[in-house]
């Protein structure tokens, strides 16, 4: 072999090795849709579960993830948190499909709408156990649901608003998504709670698309279009915050009552400043933690209740421990 041929041969082999390594690495990354680094050592884990939320970068879902990761650590599970960065139903459904194709051991996800989620959940559950979390697709064949009793939580919000406004309010509702099961139940529960109150009127119901900016835009528009509105009810975590931004900006917190959902740090700040008057506290951490326990139970053939409702309660400034007034620990 001439020297030139030997050099060319060595380069050829090197090039092949490097490109092979790259394609294995990136092919693996794509197949595993960004699994954490530790996944390389799957023998360390008993099971591999995926938690698919409506929106990855949402403080509420980060809390659910925190609970699920904690349980995963305690029980030797690899927990992957995957889904749309910002709420997007197509990406949400795609992530469920991909998780099924990747043959994970269990999928925890919301059952956002009957039309789109029920057929998919029914397909997946023939191969892989599915638990709905936070939002139930009650008509699907999901194996269990863990989360808030969403109708009851809306009912609680309605009763709190009646109490706080002494039964006199013109209410605008801003809801996350018109099509989402849990948002519909939160509105319905509220409507039922206030329906026999003569002094409470629901003036309009608008959609925020799970976006704080959109919630703020809607709140601004409502105040312009319906000057009689003096109370807002926000049914998903970012709605109350968006409404509060507008009410704060136009210095209307003495005349406008706000009840929201969840206990994100910003919500607690607005409560401590007296802008949001009350919020419906859910237990996202518990939902995450217990969903992992339930999934393990299902796989191991234990009896798992088909519906587990986590706690829901109303939180006002007076109910917040002093350390939380103006504080940032959203440990609720
Ligand atoms: C709901 C979640 C939703 C989140 C949006 C929460 O109140 O329970 O389903 O994704 O709000 O910010």
């Amino acid at each position: 072999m001439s020297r030139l041929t030997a050099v060319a041969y060595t380069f050829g082999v090197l090039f092949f090795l490097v490109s092979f390594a790259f394609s294995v690495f990136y092919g693996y990354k794509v197949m595993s849709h960004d699994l954490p680094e530790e996944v390389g050592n799957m023998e360390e884990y008993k099971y591999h579960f995926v938690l698919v939320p409506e929106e990855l970068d949402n403080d509420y879902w980060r809390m659910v993830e925190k609970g699920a990761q904690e349980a995963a650590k305690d029980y030797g599970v690899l927990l992957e948190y995957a889904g749309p960065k910002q709420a997007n139903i197509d990406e949400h459904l795609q992530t469920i499909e991909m998780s099924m194709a990747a043959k994970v051991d269990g999928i925890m996800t919301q059952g956002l709408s009957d039309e789109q989620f029920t057929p998919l959940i029914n397909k997946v559950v023939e191969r892989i156990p599915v638990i709905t979390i936070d939002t139930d697709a009650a008509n699907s064949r999901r194996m269990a649901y863990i989360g808030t009793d969403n109708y009851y939580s809306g009912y609680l919000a309605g009763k709190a608003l009646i109490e706080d406004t002494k039964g006199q309010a013109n209410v605008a509702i801003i809801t996350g998504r018109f099509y989402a099961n849990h948002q519909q139940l939160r509105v319905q529960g509220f409507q039922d709670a206030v329906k026999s109150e003569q002094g409470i009127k629901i003036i309009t119901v608008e959609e925020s698309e799970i976006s704080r900016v959109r919630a703020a835009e809607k709140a601004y528009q409502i105040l312009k279009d319906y000057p009689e509105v003096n109370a807002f009810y926000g049914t998903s975590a970012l709605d109350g915050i968006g409404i509060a931004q507008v009410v704060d900006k136009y210095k209307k917190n003495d005349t406008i009552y706000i009840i929201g959902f969840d206990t994100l740090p910003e919500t607690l700040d607005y409560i401590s400043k007296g802008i949001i008057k009350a919020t419906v506290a859910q237990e996202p951490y518990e939902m995450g933690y217990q969903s992992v326990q339930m999934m393990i139970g299902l796989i191991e053939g234990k009896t798992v209740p088909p519906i587990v409702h986590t706690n829901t309660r109303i939180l006002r400034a007076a109910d917040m421990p002093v350390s939380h007034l103006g504080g940032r620990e959203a440990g609720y």
Side-chain angles (χ1 to χ4, degrees), residues 231-268:
F232 280 94
Y233 166 43
T235 72
S236 67
L238 307 177
D239 300 334
I241 300 170
I243 300 164
Q245 273 170 356
V246 174
V247 168
D248 194 19
K249 186 164 175 207
Y250 294 97
K251 310 242 171 314
K252 286 183 178 284
N253 62 310
D254 289 339
T255 45
I256 306 265
Y257 172 89
I258 306 174
I259 179 162
F261 248 82
D262 299 302
T263 49
L264 304 193
E266 278 174 280
T267 311
L268 296 183

Side-chain angles (χ1 to χ4, degrees), residues 54-55 58 60-61 110 112 134-135 150 182-183 186 210 235-238 261-262 282:
E54 172 160 41
E55 178 163 273
N58 181 305
Y60 171 87
W61 282 104
Q110 288 160 288
L112 276 181
D134 171 271
T135 317
N150 284 299
H182 62 330
Q183 301 294 299
R186 291 177 191 182
I210 311 290
T235 72
S236 67
L238 307 177
F261 248 82
D262 299 302
Q282 306 192 77

Side-chain angles (χ1 to χ4, degrees), residues 12-40:
V13 170
L14 272 176
F15 179 74
F16 171 76
L17 285 176
V18 169
S19 37
F20 181 71
F22 262 94
S23 53
V24 167
F25 178 69
Y26 285 105
Y28 169 75
K29 286 282 260 193
V30 170
M31 287 286 291
S32 58
H33 52 110
D34 271 346
L35 289 178
E37 295 301 322
E38 318 89 87
V39 76

Side-chain angles (χ1 to χ4, degrees), residues 2 34 41 43 57-58 72 95 118 120-121 181 203 211 219 224 237 242 246-247 251 259:
S2 78
D34 271 346
N41 213 348
E43 312 86 70
D57 279 345
N58 181 305
T95 313
T118 296
L120 178 59
I121 291 174
N181 290 331
I203 308 293
S211 145
K224 253 175 77 182
V246 174
V247 168
K251 310 242 171 314
I259 179 162

